[in-house]
């Protein structure tokens, strides 16, 4: 929408601020578009292998999964936040949960539906 805002928090973290009615639809569209285009960054060998073989930051040969997105949706309509740090805490909690799920492939998103 017209009032959407996208910002870079740091590293590989970004924020999208939008109307609640758009959040699920936008997250799904972002995840699908990312997944459909991310494979173009990998060599045919990596695609066939299903992962990347490279050196990690310590120089040790390692295996890395393909890039995916983990999108945390924090709803300020269902919960009232008195400080932006609380919003960050909820987003980090959701993102940690999404990244911990085993056997899930591709980009994922989850909307916090809890109420205070």
């Amino acid at each position: 929408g017209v009032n959407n805002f996208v910002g870079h928090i740091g590293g590989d973290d970004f924020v999208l601020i939008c109307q609640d009615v758009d959040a699920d639809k936008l997250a799904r569209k972002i995840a699908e578009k990312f997944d459909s285009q991310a494979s173009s960054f990998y060599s045919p060998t990596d695609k066939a292998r299903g992962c990347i073989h490279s050196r990690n930051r310590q120089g040790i040969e390692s295996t890395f999964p393909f890039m995916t997105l983990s999108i945390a949706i924090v709803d300020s309509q269902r919960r009232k936040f008195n400080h932006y740090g609380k919003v960050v805490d909820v987003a980090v909690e959701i993102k940690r949960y999404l990244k911990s799920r085993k056997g899930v492939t591709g980009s994922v998103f989850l909307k916090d539906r809890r109420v205070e």
Side-chain angles (χ1 to χ4, degrees):
V2 174
N3 295 319
N4 292 349
F5 170 80
V6 176
H8 181 226
I9 296 172
D12 61 354
D13 292 323
F14 294 83
V15 63
L16 167 64
I17 299 173
C18 66
Q19 295 294 315
D20 179 57
V21 296
D22 296 334
D24 290 309
K25 181 172 57 175
L26 281 170
R28 179 174 285 105
K29 188 174 185 177
I30 291 167
E32 288 172 355
K33 186 157 188 145
F34 182 89
D35 287 348
S36 72
Q37 295 181 2
S39 66
S40 69
F41 293 103
Y42 302 108
S43 71
T45 303
D46 288 338
K47 287 180 192 178
R49 188 184 308 128
C51 61
I52 302 167
H53 286 288
S54 185
R55 295 191 183 280
N56 65 20
R57 291 180 181 151
Q58 293 74 35
I60 300 168
E61 191 72 28
S62 299
T63 301
F64 299 94
F66 292 148
M67 295 183 292
T68 60
L69 298 178
S70 297
I71 303 171
I73 302 172
V74 180
D75 185 342
S76 64
Q77 300 300 309
R78 297 172 66 89
R79 298 172 80 170
K80 299 301 177 196
F81 297 98
N82 59 6
H83 190 273
Y84 71 88
K86 302 272 186 185
V87 175
V88 173
D89 289 344
V90 172
V92 167
E93 182 181 356
I94 294 169
K95 193 169 102 171
R96 188 175 295 130
Y97 167 75
L98 289 170
K99 289 180 178 282
S100 74
R101 296 169 53 199
K102 303 293 183 211
V104 176
T105 59
S107 296
V108 292
F109 67 94
L110 179 67
K111 182 175 187 176
D112 179 35
R113 300 201 186 278
R114 297 171 292 182
V115 292
E116 295 287 318

